[in-house]
Amino acid sequence: MRRYLPFIIVICVALLAVGGGAFLYRTKRAANPELKISKTETERSGEIVHVLGPADAAVTLEEFGDFQCPPCGKLSEPLNQLQKRYNLRVIYREFPLAIHAHAKEAAYAAEAAARQGRFWQMHDLLYREQAVWSKSSDARALFNAYAGMLQLDLDRFKKDMDSGEVQRQVELDQQRGASIGVKNTPTIFINNEAVPGPESNPEQLPGLVEAALKKAKPSS
Amino acid sequence: MKSARSTMSRSRAQTIFYTAAALISLLGLAEATYLTVVYLSGETAVCGGSADCFQVLGSGYAKIGPVPVSGLGALAYFGAFTFATFAGFGYPRARQFFTWTVIAMFCMTLWLLFVQAFRLHAFCRYCLFSAALVFLLTGLVVARPVAETQRN
């Protein structure tokens, strides 16, 4: 029996590793079904969409982001560079996660800035300063300071942040994300095709954008 | 009589040594399997409130061709576990295989630490935990001949 014991132990561990891995994989796949924006998915009426780049761009990159999510922060600047380099159409959707204490308020701040035509400036500033306001006990005061830096009408900004309209806008984006299966941030779609989580990083996105460009213009 | 006692104590020390090595390898196998599953399921790995894991595990260094490095890690830990188990049961060639596997893992770990420190400028906690396990295994391999020589 002792002769066979090491074989039995090793086989048991192999089965446990493969079985456990397969079980975990199935659980995760069930929790995160494959994402795809259907072509019939349209923007809802009254919805404000934050778009950067030309409407007729060959590649549209849509991001569901959370201003307090560290990976989203890491992606912010590389996405800006990608937009400029490939003349992409970039759409940003709010998807504040409940685990982040100030994420919703940050989304309101960006939407309030959008009411004064400064969404992308606030977007960039929130990501750049993420490490600061994320840890602050009074993030709202910092958002007001950022509004001041962007030369926004502060009274209007404060009023907009608390307004039902701004909050509804954030909810609409979240509903849109939830309806197509978004659960994590950043979730990125390139021409309506979801980019797998591990590939949503500054190193691999340029390659994916180039592939989408080639697909969109096969002759060039 | 003295020689028989010495052989017995050496065999016991070896059993303890290889049991410890097998347990450490099991921990590494569990972690590497988890990371492989996270990669294959398309999830974004985040450690606590930091984006470092995302940066490291999402980088080009995290895979070799289509194979995630964590998957290779899982295979390496499984190999180390297998050889440690067989060595613990007295298979002499398994000891050599165990040593060479740990040396290969140690070299790979050094490379991955270098990449994190000097190329990506970000440290992933999962990778650091794995590095600690490999260093422990290496420590055991280095300490083993000394213990055996002392007993001899």
Side-chain angles (χ1 to χ4, degrees):
Chain A
M1 180 63 189
R2 196 182 142 81
R3 227 174 104 194
Y4 297 111
L5 201 54
F7 290 95
I8 295 170
I9 293 172
V10 167
I11 290 169
C12 284
V13 166
L15 289 176
L16 213 76
V18 172
F23 174 76
L24 195 64
Y25 177 77
R26 286 184 67 170
T27 314
K28 284 191 179 291
R29 289 300 286 185
N32 303 309
E34 211 164 299
L35 302 175
K36 190 171 169 45
I37 301 177
S38 80
K39 287 199 168 92
T40 53
E41 185 82 29
T42 51
E43 282 149 23
R44 295 165 204 201
S45 64
E47 191 180 13
I48 297 169
V49 185
H50 306 297
V51 185
L52 206 60
D56 60 347
V59 173
T60 297
L61 187 151
E62 186 167 345
E63 179 193 4
F64 285 83
D66 168 335
F67 286 111
Q68 202 175 339
C69 129
C72 302
K74 287 265 178 199
L75 261 189
S76 168
E77 190 43 38
L79 277 184
N80 282 345
Q81 287 168 7
L82 268 184
Q83 192 280 323
K84 283 176 198 145
R85 193 161 135 206
Y86 295 102
N87 202 21
L88 305 179
R89 180 169 178 254
V90 172
I91 300 174
Y92 186 86
R93 302 271 184 187
E94 308 286 2
F95 203 78
L97 299 173
I99 52 164
H100 294 142
H102 304 307
K104 213 159 208 172
E105 231 173 355
Y108 295 158
E111 293 302 323
R115 297 296 191 274
Q116 297 183 50
R118 293 273 204 281
F119 173 80
W120 291 103
Q121 289 86 340
M122 183 59 95
H123 164 278
D124 293 349
L125 192 52
L126 285 171
Y127 276 132
R128 206 163 52 236
E129 296 295 311
Q130 187 189 65
V132 179
W133 60 262
S134 291
K135 288 173 194 148
S136 166
S137 55
D138 188 6
R140 183 74 183 252
L142 288 170
F143 298 150
N144 290 340
Y146 300 156
M149 281 164 69
L150 296 176
Q151 297 175 338
L152 300 181
D153 175 341
L154 202 55
D155 289 335
R156 194 179 150 198
F157 175 80
K158 286 179 184 171
K159 222 161 96 185
D160 281 341
M161 263 194 81
D162 295 324
S163 78
E165 255 178 65
V166 156
Q167 292 173 9
R168 192 171 160 272
Q169 171 64 37
V170 174
E171 275 166 28
L172 275 174
D173 273 2
Q174 278 187 305
Q175 280 170 17
R176 179 184 164 86
S179 73
I180 52 175
V182 174
K183 290 214 167 92
N184 301 312
T185 56
T187 296
I188 289 175
F189 293 86
I190 295 180
N191 283 349
N192 293 342
E193 298 282 347
V195 175
E199 289 172 31
S200 302
N201 64 72
E203 276 186 39
Q204 292 183 54
L205 276 175
L208 296 173
V209 167
E210 277 174 22
L213 272 171
K214 274 185 195 150
K215 208 169 150 188
K217 299 176 191 169
S219 55
S220 61
Chain B
M1 183 71 181
K2 195 179 169 190
S3 159
R5 199 178 295 158
S6 151
T7 310
M8 256 178 73
S9 82
R10 192 161 61 218
S11 142
R12 201 171 156 217
Q14 271 183 7
T15 306
I16 293 170
F17 168 85
Y18 285 112
T19 304
L23 289 177
I24 294 168
S25 306
L26 261 186
L27 269 179
L29 175 64
E31 192 215 30
T33 305
Y34 170 75
L35 285 181
T36 308
V37 169
V38 166
Y39 177 88
L40 293 176
S41 60
E43 243 181 43
T44 310
V46 182
C47 346
S50 151
D52 285 0
C53 283
F54 164 79
Q55 203 178 335
V56 174
L57 297 173
S59 75
Y61 295 102
K63 56 183 186 176
I64 298 171
V67 183
V69 169
S70 54
L72 296 177
L75 279 179
Y77 278 118
F78 180 69
F81 172 79
T82 304
F83 299 136
T85 305
F86 277 90
F89 278 88
Y91 288 75
R93 291 202 72 180
R95 287 179 210 165
Q96 286 176 5
F97 286 132
F98 174 73
T99 304
W100 285 111
T101 306
V102 172
I103 289 171
M105 289 166 82
F106 180 71
C107 293
M108 186 68 178
T109 299
L110 288 184
W111 162 247
L112 292 174
L113 285 175
F114 169 81
V115 163
Q116 289 177 83
F118 299 106
R119 302 235 169 132
L120 300 172
H121 305 288
F123 284 99
C124 157
R125 288 178 205 175
Y126 294 110
C127 311
L128 291 181
F129 178 67
S130 181
L133 293 179
V134 172
F135 286 154
L136 268 178
L137 285 175
T138 312
L140 282 176
V141 166
V142 171
R144 182 191 50 183
V146 175
E148 280 174 2
T149 316
Q150 278 173 351
R151 280 195 183 87
N152 288 335

